[in-house]
Amino acid sequence: MSKPKIVILGAGYAGMMTTKRLTQKLSPEEAEIVLVNKHNYHYQTTWLHEVAAGTINHNQARTIISDVINPNRVRLIYDTVVKVDKDNQKVILENSDLSFDYLVIALGFVTNTFGIKGMDEHAMFIQDIDSSQMIREHIEYQFVKYKNSEEKNTDDLTILVGGAGFTGIEFVGELAEKVPQLCKKYDIDRRHVRVINVEAAPSILPMFDKDLVDYAIHSLEQRGVEFRLGTKINECTEEGFIVGEDNELIKAGTIVWTGGVTGSPVLAESGFEITRGKVTVDSDLRAPGEENIFVIGDCAWVMDEKAGRPFPPTAQAAMQHAETCANNIVSLINNYPLENFVFDDKGTVASLGVTDGIATILGGTKLSGKPAATMKKVVDNRALFLIGGLNMFLKKGKIRPF
């Protein structure tokens, strides 16, 4: 009997961790493991806002997959997934087809603009390494343009950020660090640069308690970030956002949308039943009605039965999905019972720049300022270590002094 083929789609947190765990739990004789990814590198999704702001180099946020996953143990395919043919147990790639016995879909997210007119055409997105690097280059270009222009238009220096969730707030936090550096570099008065965050909800970061949210808003405002909360974006144009009942135009030279994400469009293309772009998986992380297909990471809604809603789609959740998924694939191969996913909430941390942040950790302990910023680096370094071991941690780890 031929050994089973396990195919993992996507090399984000969930896909990389699943691959690593399977290589630890199964010998080469027990299963063939294939990892498919669009690029030959994995990137730290939770660092993309720093790449976009220019506070870290894009190479720090990415790691060559073959430096972490042994290509002699795992077959690495760099190609784009087009569709999953569930009936014939095949994955349709841009350049080939791939059969599977067990499939793990961990294709990550794409930006969701919620149908806001003009957002797709005129805004930039913190979606991957390339898009984030483009934002960084665009921001610096606006400073150069302003510096060299005879007719100074301060709108060119305005950075408009839509959305006040994790990505939006962490991005403006990094901009609060980067803008003074750019002003010094190009000899521009800091007062000419505006960073404006627009959010339809009445506050920011709804996953945190009010006292931490108030701290975050005050900290960012002290460093020059302006908030327009409770402000609906009606339209995005090449000039900026049109907002509110009076259709006010907020002009900007840089427009970034961070207001939402959804699962990979491959899910819908492949005939999975989706809710808001994701698959609501069974408790063992399999797609409903499928014996051998798992959906994890940003592609999955994993229900928190106690709360009656899905667990938040965080990096720690994705890596925990991977542990359960790998265990269950091994169980299927050996005809053992499957386990249900149990989320171990290790806390929530948001950075507000290099030396500032807010956090709620085990037992409900709240942190703000430098202790929270330190905790954020601990969380990031732990993820690096889990995926790539000591070598990846030493190469990429955030051991930045305060």
Side-chain angles (χ1 to χ4, degrees):
M1 182 178 176
S2 62
K3 59 186 177 182
K5 182 191 286 187
I6 306 166
V7 175
I8 300 113
L9 306 180
Y13 294 110
M16 288 285 279
M17 200 68 192
T18 301
T19 304
K20 182 172 181 178
R21 288 293 180 253
L22 286 170
T23 61
Q24 294 168 339
K25 294 172 183 293
L26 296 169
S27 69
E29 293 72 34
E30 290 179 290
E32 177 187 357
I33 303 172
V34 183
L35 176 60
V36 181
N37 197 58
K38 186 176 181 180
H39 306 288
N40 70 341
Y41 57 83
H42 157 84
Y43 57 83
Q44 301 294 112
T45 309
T46 56
W47 294 6
L48 290 179
H49 63 281
E50 297 171 80
V51 175
T55 50
I56 65 170
N57 184 279
H58 65 280
N59 285 321
Q60 186 180 348
R62 67 180 176 186
T63 300
I64 300 301
I65 293 172
S66 58
D67 288 347
V68 177
I69 303 296
N70 183 354
N72 295 320
R73 178 68 180 87
V74 176
R75 183 181 167 199
L76 302 176
I77 297 177
Y78 304 123
D79 204 344
T80 299
V81 179
V82 176
K83 182 181 177 181
V84 174
D85 182 349
K86 294 182 288 183
D87 294 336
N88 295 303
Q89 299 207 136
K90 286 199 309 184
V91 179
I92 313 302
L93 305 176
E94 219 166 62
N95 298 297
S96 64
D97 294 349
L98 189 62
S99 63
F100 64 85
D101 295 298
Y102 302 97
L103 181 67
V104 179
I105 302 175
L107 288 168
F109 68 86
V110 295
T111 297
N112 186 357
T113 61
F114 301 105
I116 298 174
K117 184 179 178 182
M119 196 66 77
D120 282 312
E121 294 80 8
H122 301 298
M124 292 183 284
F125 308 135
I126 300 176
Q127 185 163 285
D128 53 29
I129 288 284
D130 291 342
S131 65
S132 300
Q133 196 176 356
M134 190 181 301
I135 292 169
R136 178 192 66 78
E137 292 170 352
H138 180 83
I139 290 171
E140 187 143 4
Y141 168 75
Q142 294 301 105
F143 276 76
V144 174
K145 177 182 170 184
Y146 180 86
K147 175 68 176 176
N148 295 331
S149 175
E150 291 185 9
E151 296 183 9
K152 307 294 187 186
N153 182 0
T154 55
D155 289 340
D156 290 340
L157 299 177
T158 297
I159 304 169
L160 194 53
V161 181
F166 266 106
T167 303
I169 294 305
E170 291 192 323
F171 179 49
V172 298
E174 294 299 313
L175 289 174
E177 307 274 352
K178 186 66 177 180
V179 164
Q181 298 173 15
L182 290 172
C183 288
K184 184 176 180 181
K185 180 177 179 179
Y186 293 105
D187 191 25
I188 293 172
D189 190 330
R190 172 65 182 86
R191 292 172 295 182
H192 292 161
V193 185
R194 300 176 70 192
V195 177
I196 306 173
N197 181 258
V198 182
E199 169 59 50
S203 191
I204 70 172
L205 297 173
M207 64 292 299
F208 287 99
D209 289 346
K210 185 178 183 301
D211 55 342
L212 289 178
V213 169
D214 289 344
Y215 172 89
I217 291 173
H218 178 71
S219 171
L220 292 168
E221 286 181 334
Q222 288 291 103
R223 289 178 284 150
V225 177
E226 302 173 39
F227 288 99
R228 297 289 300 272
L229 304 178
T231 303
K232 182 183 177 183
I233 301 171
N234 302 322
E235 184 178 348
C236 178
T237 73
E238 61 182 8
E239 289 185 290
F241 290 156
I242 297 174
V243 303
E245 294 182 2
D246 57 355
N247 285 321
E248 173 194 357
L249 173 62
I250 306 175
K251 292 185 177 182
T254 303
I255 307 166
V256 180
W257 171 251
T258 70
V261 297
T262 188
S264 168
V266 168
L267 297 170
E269 185 67 28
S270 304
F272 290 96
E273 184 178 334
I274 58 173
T275 303
R276 286 184 288 163
K278 303 185 182 190
V279 175
T280 302
V281 296
D282 294 338
S283 56
D284 55 20
L285 303 182
R286 287 185 291 186
E290 303 296 336
E291 293 293 319
N292 60 340
I293 299 177
F294 293 80
V295 183
I296 60 176
D298 287 323
C299 286
W301 289 122
V302 184
M303 292 301 296
D304 179 351
E305 299 300 338
K306 291 182 181 178
R309 61 175 181 268
F311 291 109
T314 60
Q316 68 163 317
M319 294 174 77
Q320 290 182 36
H321 293 173
E323 298 276 358
T324 300
C325 177
N327 288 342
N328 282 342
I329 289 174
V330 173
S331 294
L332 284 173
I333 291 172
N334 292 289
N335 293 314
Y336 297 153
L338 273 61
E339 64 184 60
N340 292 335
F341 175 75
V342 178
F343 182 53
D344 178 15
D345 189 356
K346 300 183 184 303
T348 307
V349 189
S351 67
L352 304 173
V354 177
T355 62
D356 202 1
I358 56 174
T360 304
I361 56 175
L362 295 178
T365 301
K366 298 176 186 179
L367 302 174
S368 60
K370 288 185 178 180
T374 301
M375 183 56 63
K376 172 69 173 178
K377 291 174 179 60
V378 169
V379 170
D380 288 346
N381 288 336
R382 180 177 182 273
L384 283 173
F385 182 79
L386 286 173
I387 289 174
L390 183 60
N391 189 44
M392 186 171 170
F393 164 69
L394 292 175
K395 280 184 178 180
K396 305 287 184 178
K398 291 187 175 180
I399 322 174
R400 293 189 286 185
F402 287 133

